[in-house]
Amino acid sequence: MSAVRVVIADDDVLLREGLATLLERSGFEILGRAADGSQLVSQVRALKPDLVVVDIRMPPTNTTEGLDAARVIREEFPATGILVLSAHVEVEHAMELLATGERIGYLLKSRVTDVDEFIETVERIARGGSVVDPVLVKELVGARRANDPLGVLTSREREVLTLMAEGRSNAGIAAQLWVTEGTVEKHVRSILSKLDLPETQADHRRVLAVVAFLEAR
Protein backbone atom coordinates (compact mmCIF):
# COMPACT_ATOMS: atom_id res chain seq x y z
CA MET A 1 0.00 0.00 0.00
CA SER A 2 1.42 3.39 -1.00
CA ALA A 3 2.24 5.98 1.65
CA VAL A 4 -0.25 8.77 2.39
CA ARG A 5 1.04 11.94 0.71
CA VAL A 6 0.94 15.07 2.87
CA VAL A 7 1.49 18.84 2.62
CA ILE A 8 2.07 20.73 5.88
CA ALA A 9 1.32 24.44 6.34
CA ASP A 10 2.38 26.43 9.40
CA ASP A 11 4.30 29.69 9.70
CA ASP A 12 6.20 28.33 12.71
CA VAL A 13 9.13 26.64 11.02
CA LEU A 14 10.02 24.54 14.07
CA LEU A 15 6.51 23.15 14.37
CA ARG A 16 6.26 22.63 10.63
CA GLU A 17 9.50 20.67 10.47
CA GLY A 18 8.66 18.80 13.65
CA LEU A 19 5.34 17.65 12.21
CA ALA A 20 7.05 16.62 8.98
CA THR A 21 9.60 14.55 10.91
CA LEU A 22 6.90 12.86 13.01
CA LEU A 23 4.84 11.95 9.96
CA GLU A 24 7.82 10.76 7.93
CA ARG A 25 8.91 8.47 10.76
CA SER A 26 5.41 7.00 10.79
CA GLY A 27 5.44 6.17 7.08
CA PHE A 28 3.82 9.26 5.55
CA GLU A 29 5.31 10.94 2.50
CA ILE A 30 5.81 14.70 2.89
CA LEU A 31 5.27 16.31 -0.52
CA GLY A 32 5.58 19.93 0.53
CA ARG A 33 5.81 22.53 3.28
CA ALA A 34 4.08 25.91 3.22
CA ALA A 35 4.45 29.02 5.39
CA ASP A 36 1.11 30.65 4.50
CA GLY A 37 -2.28 29.93 2.99
CA SER A 38 -1.47 30.95 -0.55
CA GLN A 39 1.61 28.72 -0.65
CA LEU A 40 -0.51 25.85 0.65
CA VAL A 41 -3.17 26.23 -2.03
CA SER A 42 -0.50 26.50 -4.75
CA GLN A 43 1.23 23.34 -3.53
CA VAL A 44 -2.02 21.40 -3.30
CA ARG A 45 -2.92 22.38 -6.85
CA ALA A 46 0.50 21.33 -8.11
CA LEU A 47 1.15 18.23 -6.00
CA LYS A 48 -2.38 16.91 -5.30
CA PRO A 49 -1.64 15.40 -1.88
CA ASP A 50 -3.90 12.93 -0.08
CA LEU A 51 -4.01 15.11 3.03
CA VAL A 52 -3.03 18.56 4.28
CA VAL A 53 -2.20 19.66 7.82
CA VAL A 54 -2.82 23.38 8.26
CA ASP A 55 -2.76 25.93 11.06
CA ILE A 56 -5.90 28.11 11.24
CA ARG A 57 -3.95 31.32 11.84
CA MET A 58 -1.19 32.20 9.39
CA PRO A 59 0.36 35.33 7.78
CA PRO A 60 -0.22 37.99 6.78
CA THR A 61 -2.93 38.81 9.35
CA ASN A 62 -2.76 35.66 11.50
CA THR A 63 -6.56 35.40 11.63
CA THR A 64 -8.25 32.84 9.35
CA GLU A 65 -5.81 32.41 6.45
CA GLY A 66 -5.41 28.70 7.10
CA LEU A 67 -9.16 28.22 7.34
CA ASP A 68 -9.66 30.17 4.11
CA ALA A 69 -7.11 27.95 2.38
CA ALA A 70 -8.89 24.87 3.72
CA ARG A 71 -12.16 26.10 2.22
CA VAL A 72 -10.54 26.50 -1.20
CA ILE A 73 -8.95 23.05 -1.00
CA ARG A 74 -12.21 21.40 0.04
CA GLU A 75 -14.03 23.05 -2.87
CA GLU A 76 -11.42 22.24 -5.51
CA PHE A 77 -10.23 18.88 -4.15
CA PRO A 78 -13.06 17.37 -2.08
CA ALA A 79 -11.28 14.03 -1.72
CA THR A 80 -8.26 15.63 -0.03
CA GLY A 81 -8.18 15.10 3.73
CA ILE A 82 -7.79 18.23 5.87
CA LEU A 83 -6.51 18.39 9.45
CA VAL A 84 -6.73 21.89 10.90
CA LEU A 85 -4.61 22.76 13.93
CA SER A 86 -5.54 25.54 16.35
CA ALA A 87 -3.92 26.97 19.47
CA HIS A 88 -7.37 27.62 20.98
CA VAL A 89 -10.86 26.12 20.91
CA GLU A 90 -12.74 27.93 18.14
CA VAL A 91 -16.21 26.42 17.99
CA GLU A 92 -17.58 28.08 14.86
CA HIS A 93 -14.49 27.20 12.85
CA ALA A 94 -14.68 23.58 13.94
CA MET A 95 -18.36 23.31 13.06
CA GLU A 96 -17.87 24.88 9.66
CA LEU A 97 -15.10 22.46 8.81
CA LEU A 98 -16.91 19.35 9.97
CA ALA A 99 -20.02 20.29 8.04
CA THR A 100 -18.04 19.93 4.78
CA GLY A 101 -18.12 16.13 5.04
CA GLU A 102 -15.57 13.34 5.44
CA ARG A 103 -11.78 13.40 5.73
CA ILE A 104 -11.81 16.39 8.04
CA GLY A 105 -10.34 17.03 11.46
CA TYR A 106 -9.97 19.76 14.07
CA LEU A 107 -7.21 19.35 16.64
CA LEU A 108 -5.69 21.60 19.27
CA LYS A 109 -1.94 22.08 18.87
CA SER A 110 -1.39 20.90 22.41
CA ARG A 111 -2.61 17.47 21.26
CA VAL A 112 0.42 17.13 18.96
CA THR A 113 2.61 16.49 22.00
CA ASP A 114 0.94 13.08 22.31
CA VAL A 115 2.69 11.60 19.28
CA ASP A 116 0.74 8.34 19.13
CA GLU A 117 -2.61 10.13 19.38
CA PHE A 118 -1.59 12.66 16.73
CA ILE A 119 -0.50 9.97 14.28
CA GLU A 120 -3.71 8.03 14.94
CA THR A 121 -5.73 11.17 14.19
CA VAL A 122 -3.93 11.73 10.88
CA GLU A 123 -4.47 8.09 9.93
CA ARG A 124 -8.19 8.29 10.74
CA ILE A 125 -8.63 11.32 8.51
CA ALA A 126 -6.61 9.72 5.71
CA ARG A 127 -9.00 6.74 5.90
CA GLY A 128 -12.00 9.02 5.48
CA GLY A 129 -12.87 9.72 9.10
CA SER A 130 -13.87 12.90 10.89
CA VAL A 131 -12.06 13.84 14.11
CA VAL A 132 -12.90 16.48 16.73
CA ASP A 133 -10.58 17.38 19.57
CA PRO A 134 -11.93 15.90 22.84
CA VAL A 135 -11.52 19.29 24.58
CA LEU A 136 -13.93 20.84 22.08
CA VAL A 137 -16.33 17.94 22.47
CA LYS A 138 -16.42 18.33 26.26
CA GLU A 139 -16.99 22.07 25.97
CA LEU A 140 -19.94 21.56 23.65
CA VAL A 141 -21.44 18.85 25.82
CA GLY A 142 -21.56 21.28 28.73
CA ALA A 143 -23.10 24.13 26.76
CA ARG A 144 -26.14 22.81 24.92
CA ARG A 145 -28.99 25.11 23.95
CA ALA A 146 -32.32 24.80 25.74
CA ASN A 147 -34.05 23.60 22.56
CA ASP A 148 -31.63 20.72 22.28
CA PRO A 149 -32.30 18.76 19.06
CA LEU A 150 -30.50 15.84 20.69
CA GLY A 151 -33.13 15.67 23.41
CA VAL A 152 -34.53 12.54 21.78
CA LEU A 153 -31.36 10.61 22.62
CA THR A 154 -30.83 8.59 25.77
CA SER A 155 -27.88 9.38 28.03
CA ARG A 156 -26.03 6.33 26.71
CA GLU A 157 -26.68 7.40 23.11
CA ARG A 158 -25.27 10.83 23.95
CA GLU A 159 -22.15 9.13 25.30
CA VAL A 160 -21.81 7.14 22.08
CA LEU A 161 -22.32 10.26 19.95
CA THR A 162 -19.72 12.15 21.99
CA LEU A 163 -17.17 9.41 21.29
CA MET A 164 -18.19 9.37 17.62
CA ALA A 165 -17.44 13.10 17.53
CA GLU A 166 -13.96 12.35 18.86
CA GLY A 167 -13.44 10.16 15.80
CA ARG A 168 -13.61 6.77 17.52
CA SER A 169 -14.66 3.66 15.63
CA ASN A 170 -17.37 1.34 16.93
CA ALA A 171 -14.66 -0.91 18.35
CA GLY A 172 -13.01 2.06 20.06
CA ILE A 173 -16.33 3.19 21.54
CA ALA A 174 -17.03 -0.33 22.81
CA ALA A 175 -13.66 -0.46 24.56
CA GLN A 176 -14.20 2.96 26.14
CA LEU A 177 -17.69 2.15 27.43
CA TRP A 178 -16.96 -1.48 28.36
CA VAL A 179 -19.73 -2.86 26.14
CA THR A 180 -19.76 -5.13 23.10
CA GLU A 181 -19.25 -3.79 19.60
CA GLY A 182 -22.69 -5.16 18.71
CA THR A 183 -24.22 -3.00 21.44
CA VAL A 184 -22.46 0.06 20.06
CA GLU A 185 -23.76 -0.72 16.56
CA LYS A 186 -27.31 -0.81 17.94
CA HIS A 187 -26.80 2.56 19.64
CA VAL A 188 -25.37 4.07 16.44
CA ARG A 189 -28.33 2.83 14.39
CA SER A 190 -30.71 4.27 16.97
CA ILE A 191 -28.90 7.63 16.95
CA LEU A 192 -29.01 7.89 13.16
CA SER A 193 -32.69 6.95 13.16
CA LYS A 194 -33.71 9.37 15.92
CA LEU A 195 -31.82 12.26 14.27
CA ASP A 196 -33.70 11.46 11.03
CA LEU A 197 -30.53 11.35 8.97
CA PRO A 198 -30.90 10.38 5.30
CA GLU A 199 -30.11 6.86 4.15
CA THR A 200 -26.74 7.55 2.57
CA GLN A 201 -23.35 5.89 2.78
CA ALA A 202 -22.92 4.83 6.42
CA ASP A 203 -19.72 6.74 7.20
CA HIS A 204 -21.21 9.99 5.91
CA ARG A 205 -24.28 9.53 8.12
CA ARG A 206 -21.89 9.34 11.09
CA VAL A 207 -20.37 12.66 10.01
CA LEU A 208 -23.85 14.21 9.79
CA ALA A 209 -24.59 12.92 13.29
CA VAL A 210 -21.42 14.59 14.57
CA VAL A 211 -22.41 17.85 12.89
CA ALA A 212 -25.83 17.63 14.58
CA PHE A 213 -24.05 17.09 17.87
CA LEU A 214 -21.88 20.19 17.38
CA GLU A 215 -24.83 22.34 16.34
CA ALA A 216 -26.59 21.38 19.57
CA ARG A 217 -24.01 23.14 21.74
Side-chain angles (χ1 to χ4, degrees):
M1 184 177 178
S2 59
V4 175
R5 300 151 57 249
V6 183
V7 170
I8 300 173
D10 198 300
D11 61 306
D12 183 333
V13 65
L14 293 179
L15 179 59
R16 188 170 70 238
E17 294 304 317
L19 291 175
T21 299
L22 284 179
L23 292 173
E24 283 180 327
R25 287 177 178 173
S26 298
F28 294 85
E29 179 183 355
I30 306 303
L31 295 184
R33 300 163 171 82
D36 58 44
S38 60
Q39 284 184 13
L40 172 61
V41 172
S42 295
Q43 289 190 20
V44 170
R45 286 170 175 162
L47 303 172
K48 297 179 174 56
D50 303 308
L51 182 143
V52 299
V53 179
V54 55
D55 184 11
I56 279 185
R57 301 178 184 275
M58 289 195 295
T61 66
N62 291 305
T63 53
T64 62
E65 281 82 358
L67 183 65
D68 295 339
R71 289 194 195 100
V72 173
I73 293 166
R74 179 42 54 107
E75 182 176 345
E76 295 186 14
F77 304 94
T80 300
I82 300 173
L83 172 57
V84 172
L85 301 179
S86 176
H88 309 286
V89 174
E90 299 178 81
V91 175
E92 296 303 325
H93 291 165
M95 287 178 56
E96 178 182 347
L97 285 166
L98 287 163
T100 65
E102 301 174 350
R103 297 179 183 272
I104 200 78
Y106 179 97
L107 202 64
L108 293 178
K109 284 188 173 181
S110 58
R111 196 72 54 185
V112 177
T113 58
D114 186 329
V115 175
D116 291 340
E117 186 173 343
F118 174 69
I119 295 300
E120 182 182 357
T121 294
V122 176
E123 290 174 342
R124 284 178 184 172
I125 295 169
R127 293 194 299 266
S130 177
V131 180
V132 188
D133 194 286
V135 173
L136 176 64
V137 172
K138 290 176 182 176
E139 179 172 307
L140 295 178
V141 167
R144 298 191 185 97
R145 292 190 293 259
N147 58 336
D148 184 1
L150 304 184
V152 294
L153 303 183
T154 66
S155 58
R156 177 60 93 180
E157 287 168 349
R158 285 176 181 271
E159 286 183 280
V160 171
L161 183 53
T162 298
L163 294 171
M164 285 170 59
E166 292 180 12
R168 297 177 188 269
S169 64
N170 285 359
I173 295 172
Q176 180 74 19
L177 298 180
W178 294 90
V179 298
T180 67
E181 191 170 345
T183 297
V184 173
E185 289 173 358
K186 290 179 182 176
H187 285 313
V188 171
R189 284 197 298 270
S190 178
I191 290 167
L192 298 178
S193 175
K194 288 181 177 180
L195 295 182
D196 196 26
L197 296 175
E199 288 286 351
T200 59
Q201 199 250 346
D203 287 343
H204 187 56
R205 292 181 79 201
R206 289 174 72 100
V207 173
L208 293 175
V210 169
V211 171
F213 169 80
L214 291 175
E215 290 178 337
R217 75 191 192 284

